[in-house]
Amino acid sequence: MSAGLVGVVSYACTLLMANMLGTADYTQFAAAAMILGVVGIVANAMVPLPLSHVVAVHPEGSEERRNGVAFSVFVSCLAGIAAAAITGGVTLALATPALAAAVALAAFVIFVVNAPAGWLQGELRFTWYAVSTIGEVVLRLIFSLLVIVMAWGAGGAVLGFVVGCLAPLVVPWSFYRDLRWRPRVLLEKWRWAETSDIASVLCVVSVLVGIDVVVVGVLDNGSAEAAGFQALATIAKGPVYVAAGTALVAFPLLRTPGVKVGEVLGASFASFGQLVVVAFAIIATAPPLMSGVIVPQKYHGSLGLLPWLAASGLGYAVLMVLATILLAMRAYRRCQIGLACACLLVIGGLWIGWQLNAVSGMAVGSAIGL
């Protein structure tokens, strides 16, 4: 429920920008927001998931838990620097240096604040986690209103991601009691091995989730059709939020000692299936009149793409859940083979779709590929 609310409020921020920014500015903002969405997925996998396992199996104040927290903070900072360099470079190819700098800063901050999230997951404090994530996106919405009033453009809107990241830092003080300066943990190879396995898989998943929005912005930059595709694709990825919530709960439970794997999997897939089908049905069958209320008038010509984009959003959600479940069960090889096939199908579908019918073809191609 909280993941769904986060999706709604997040889209409200995007909708504000779609209405208040010019088409070219909005195209740049949408691409930047999707890039940061990818960063968020990678950060949420690379830092919190391994830490949640450590916290779940070791008591508060233990040496191993403190080592795990220290390692996660170091990884957050190192990965944040790498993410800033990569995202800044990618954005620079699409937009102005100022916007690229804003994206780089946001990418760094998104990584740095993820250690508390992993600690909350390992403690199974999902209510606190839910409030924290909602607070993050509400702060971004409030800042978006300030951006509109001050006319700061796409760069100012991206800084909303930085402001929102203040909320995840508000956690129980026991997290900070577990936080210690222990650089020697960076020499422990087994920690790097598990972190890299999880991060590499979720990185591929996150890139696949956001590739259509970024690529259409590059291939058809500034056009109303491309911006309409981006706006609708953001809505259509609603099921991904359901997948994120399912993965967040399932991963630490599957790593808990003595867990009944069959029961956890059964409950996880049942809840995911019920919620994701409802989300998909609402998005795919929304009448044009209702869709027109939440999509700016200038992008109404793209409403016919919504069913195809909803189908691809459902595919992305299933892909994310299955990948995370396999990671939790340490079935790394099976997960990697499945993702390799997914990459070929999704990228191939987008490429063939673009060749056959430009932006509209990409919507169809991504749905068929997934």
Side-chain angles (χ1 to χ4, degrees):
M1 290 172 64
S2 65
L5 182 57
V6 166
V8 171
V9 179
S10 181
Y11 185 70
C13 298
T14 303
L15 188 59
L16 282 173
M17 296 302 109
N19 281 284
M20 302 306 296
L21 296 177
T23 299
D25 264 354
Y26 174 70
T27 299
Q28 292 182 354
F29 167 76
M34 186 55 67
I35 290 172
L36 291 176
V38 170
V39 170
I41 295 174
V42 176
N44 285 332
M46 188 172 182
V47 179
L49 292 185
L51 178 58
S52 70
H53 168 67
V54 173
V55 173
V57 299
H58 297 286
E60 179 182 348
S62 64
E63 288 299 300
E64 186 53 39
R65 179 184 282 209
R66 288 176 174 174
N67 288 340
V69 172
F71 181 79
S72 69
V73 172
F74 282 126
V75 169
S76 296
C77 294
L78 294 174
I81 294 171
I86 294 171
T87 56
V90 171
T91 308
L92 191 58
L94 309 173
T96 63
L99 182 58
V103 170
L105 175 62
F108 175 76
V109 175
I110 286 171
F111 262 100
V112 169
V113 301
N114 258 281
W119 185 88
L120 289 172
Q121 292 174 37
E123 286 275 305
L124 304 184
R125 300 194 186 193
F126 296 121
T127 300
W128 193 301
Y129 182 89
V131 173
S132 175
T133 54
I134 292 171
E136 180 179 357
V137 76
V138 168
L139 279 178
R140 183 154 62 89
L141 176 60
I142 294 171
F143 191 81
S144 295
L145 296 174
L146 177 62
V147 167
I148 291 171
V149 173
M150 302 299 292
W152 287 344
V158 169
L159 289 178
F161 288 88
V162 178
V163 175
C165 286
L166 297 175
L169 295 176
V170 181
V171 292
W173 188 248
S174 49
F175 164 78
Y176 294 101
R177 286 200 299 267
D178 282 333
L179 185 59
R180 293 290 187 276
W181 173 259
R182 296 183 176 181
R184 60 181 172 77
V185 297
L186 293 175
L187 301 177
E188 297 176 352
K189 295 181 179 179
W190 68 269
R191 294 186 189 276
W192 286 107
E194 181 175 46
T195 299
S196 62
D197 284 335
I198 293 174
S200 61
V201 168
L202 271 284
C203 179
V204 173
V205 173
S206 62
V207 169
L208 289 176
V209 169
I211 193 171
D212 55 348
V213 172
V214 176
V215 168
V216 77
V218 173
L219 295 177
D220 205 19
N221 186 29
S223 74
E225 189 175 12
F229 179 103
Q230 291 171 316
L232 291 170
T234 304
I235 300 173
K237 288 183 172 64
V240 173
Y241 290 98
V242 179
T246 303
L248 183 148
V249 176
F251 189 94
L253 289 177
L254 288 170
R255 289 290 182 92
T256 302
V259 67
K260 295 181 180 179
V261 175
E263 291 184 5
V264 173
L265 290 179
S268 298
F269 284 130
S271 60
F272 169 72
Q274 292 168 5
L275 292 173
V276 81
V277 168
V278 171
F280 164 73
I282 292 173
I283 295 169
T285 62
L289 182 60
M290 186 175 76
S291 302
V293 173
I294 58 176
V295 177
Q297 178 71 37
K298 55 187 173 182
Y299 304 139
H300 282 191
S302 300
L303 288 176
L305 302 179
L306 193 54
W308 292 106
L309 293 173
S312 64
L314 177 62
Y316 288 128
V318 173
L319 180 66
M320 179 179 289
V321 166
L322 292 179
T324 308
I325 293 295
L326 290 173
L327 284 175
M329 299 177 69
R330 294 187 169 88
Y332 299 125
R333 180 59 60 85
R334 185 182 302 175
C335 187
Q336 290 164 354
I337 293 173
L339 281 181
C341 295
C343 287
L344 291 174
L345 291 171
V346 172
I347 296 174
L350 289 172
W351 182 80
I352 294 172
W354 173 260
Q355 297 299 320
L356 294 178
N357 197 20
V359 174
S360 299
M362 289 183 70
V364 177
S366 63
I368 294 175
L370 283 159

